[in-house]
Amino acid sequence: MSDTVLMHARRRLLRENPSVTWFMLALGVFTLVISVLSEGVGVGLVSTSMVKILGMTLCLCLIAVAMDVVWGYCGILSLGHFAFFGLGGYAIGMWLMYARTEIVISDSLARGTIPPTEAELSEAVAAQIFGVVGTSELPLIWTFAGSLPFQLAMVVLVPGLLALVFGWLAFRSRVTGVYLSILTQAMTLALALYLFQNDTGLRGNNGLSGLQNIPGLLHVPQAVLSVWFLWASAFALGAGYLMFAWVVSGKFGSVIRAIRDNEARVRFLGYNVEGYKLFVFTLTAIVSGIAGALYYPQAGIINPAELAPIASIYLAVWVAIGGRGRLYGAVIGAAGVSLLSSWLTGGGAPNIDLGFYRILWTEWWQVLLGLGFVMVTLFAPKGIGGLFDYLVRKR
């Protein structure tokens, strides 16, 4: 009986989300090709820096899919999901920085005639990490920073609990529409301003750095680590895509789409609207935190500027350009805009000299992004994914 139920569920998932098979196939081929062409495990045609960029792009695609579910399917325009992304990065970053510093300090003190005590080692690690903010004491929130299982749990729990509390307060008060968007943006801004302070225990505007050095794997070249993170990011994106495709299918998906279209009518029919919205909001926040935990070890650094409200606005723009209400549209928007911005701001695109003015893409790429958003809104309101749907139907 259970096998029959699973078979029917699988068929229903593929029937209601035909893009799942094609997306998983494309993701697998992409990961395989980049691995073969990489410097770490392949022929060396793709540089390590490019592999890292592609791995980070996959993480951005994952948070874009989460944003599409909460906005495109449930109708909650959250301008704070990048805060959950950053919190996941901070949670894993604390372990990366503490464990790596502890290894370096232990090796240094071991050369002395008298082995260091646990207290001396802890004091030396604290002084090394927090000397930049003028203190040598380990903050309370770093008590279990040396425990990888604990910090991995924080990757899930911190964004999840923040989303659960914030969502419960907002949804039970029936805050909707633009007012809810403003509240989520205010939450993000407050969190960013708080983290900028030196007494938060997270090194203020210095943030956490050196995250690309993985404790226990310091002997592994960055070229190889970048490929490993690419695999992990691809697996997380694939698993997240499958999970969200299952979430938005069936009765649950029909209910959250109905909430998006007419919340009052769904409530009148007897559905617990607040419960559905809270579940979607919390689940997408957790996935955003996991995406951040994979992203920042590849980026190598995280600071409070990463949690600025503009980042969440960019996230909404990616989803809108790709086509909200389509999981693959969110991936297209995030990947396309992310790679384009890396190309324009990384010196890949040649500047244009008009004689009377020189266009520097490092300064103009945001204007180009805004123009693209306006063009999509006016001429393709369903985004790039909507154009794909149109072509498929026409064929």
Side-chain angles (χ1 to χ4, degrees):
M1 177 65 70
S2 59
D3 293 339
T4 304
V5 172
L6 288 175
M7 184 179 298
H8 284 299
R10 189 182 303 111
R11 289 177 178 175
R12 185 185 66 186
L13 173 63
L14 296 178
R15 183 176 64 252
E16 297 185 8
N17 297 276
S19 66
V20 170
T21 302
W22 290 106
F23 175 80
M24 298 302 293
L25 179 62
L27 180 62
V29 171
F30 168 80
T31 306
L32 178 62
V33 170
I34 297 301
S35 300
V36 171
L37 298 179
S38 67
E39 292 180 341
V41 299
V43 298
L45 294 180
V46 178
S47 66
T48 299
S49 60
M50 177 54 66
V51 174
K52 286 187 176 183
I53 290 175
L54 294 175
M56 291 188 291
T57 300
L58 293 179
C59 297
L60 296 177
C61 290
L62 178 56
I63 186 180
V65 171
M67 178 66 179
D68 188 38
V69 172
V70 75
W71 180 32
Y73 285 89
C74 198
I76 304 171
L77 177 53
S78 171
L79 298 180
H81 263 55
F82 228 88
F84 306 130
F85 185 84
L87 288 174
Y90 265 106
I92 196 64
M94 290 170 65
W95 175 77
L96 289 170
M97 196 166 188
Y98 185 92
R100 175 178 55 85
T101 305
E102 186 177 40
I103 292 173
V104 173
I105 296 297
S106 298
D107 292 342
S108 177
L109 295 179
R111 299 189 185 99
T113 56
I114 301 177
T117 63
E118 288 293 333
E120 291 174 338
L121 180 60
S122 178
E123 292 175 1
V125 171
Q128 180 69 24
I129 296 177
F130 296 99
V132 69
V133 293
T135 182
S136 59
E137 296 182 359
L138 195 69
L140 184 62
I141 61 174
W142 286 71
T143 303
F144 300 102
S147 171
L148 178 58
F150 181 85
Q151 293 304 131
L152 288 176
M154 292 299 102
V155 168
V156 173
L157 291 177
V158 173
L161 288 175
L162 177 60
L164 183 65
V165 173
F166 178 88
W168 183 78
L169 293 174
F171 299 145
R172 70 185 293 268
S173 301
R174 298 191 179 180
V175 180
T176 59
V178 65
Y179 300 104
L180 180 59
S181 300
I182 293 173
L183 277 180
T184 57
Q185 190 174 36
M187 174 197 70
T188 305
L189 179 60
L191 183 60
L193 292 177
Y194 173 74
L195 292 176
F196 267 114
Q197 303 177 32
N198 289 336
D199 58 357
T200 59
L202 293 171
R203 302 192 353 141
N205 63 345
N206 297 283
L208 308 180
S209 58
L211 306 185
Q212 73 278 6
N213 302 311
I214 310 301
L217 299 175
L218 299 178
H219 62 285
V220 180
Q222 284 295 315
V224 176
L225 280 177
S226 65
V227 178
W228 290 357
F229 270 106
L230 176 74
W231 294 344
S233 301
F235 175 81
L237 176 58
Y241 196 97
L242 281 175
M243 181 188 68
F244 284 130
W246 176 76
V247 167
V248 300
S249 64
K251 179 180 177 181
F252 188 92
S254 299
V255 172
I256 62 175
R257 279 190 288 268
I259 292 173
R260 174 196 64 191
D261 297 334
N262 195 323
E263 181 176 325
R265 180 172 295 182
V266 177
R267 183 177 286 107
F268 177 76
L269 291 174
Y271 287 95
N272 183 5
V273 171
E274 287 72 29
Y276 279 91
K277 293 169 70 173
L278 185 59
F279 175 80
V280 171
F281 192 76
T282 304
L283 178 63
T284 54
I286 291 174
V287 172
S288 299
I290 294 173
L294 286 170
Y295 179 91
Y296 288 106
Q298 298 177 79
I301 186 173
I302 180 174
N303 58 58
E306 300 289 330
L307 279 71
I310 189 64
S312 294
I313 295 176
Y314 286 154
L315 180 59
V317 171
W318 299 345
V319 174
I321 290 177
R324 70 188 186 102
R326 297 164 179 82
L327 297 180
Y328 63 89
V331 174
I332 293 172
V337 175
S338 176
L339 293 175
L340 180 62
S341 65
S342 298
W343 182 60
L344 292 176
T345 60
N351 297 319
I352 301 176
D353 192 352
L354 301 176
F356 61 92
Y357 184 78
R358 183 175 176 82
I359 298 179
L360 303 177
W361 289 117
T362 54
E363 301 174 358
W364 277 86
W365 81 269
Q366 291 179 325
V367 176
L368 184 64
L369 176 62
L371 180 62
F373 176 69
V374 172
M375 296 294 288
V376 167
T377 303
L378 293 177
F379 301 106
K382 294 183 179 180
I384 300 174
L387 295 178
F388 284 168
D389 290 347
Y390 171 77
L391 294 176
V392 171
R393 288 195 301 268
K394 187 175 181 179
R395 181 178 179 183

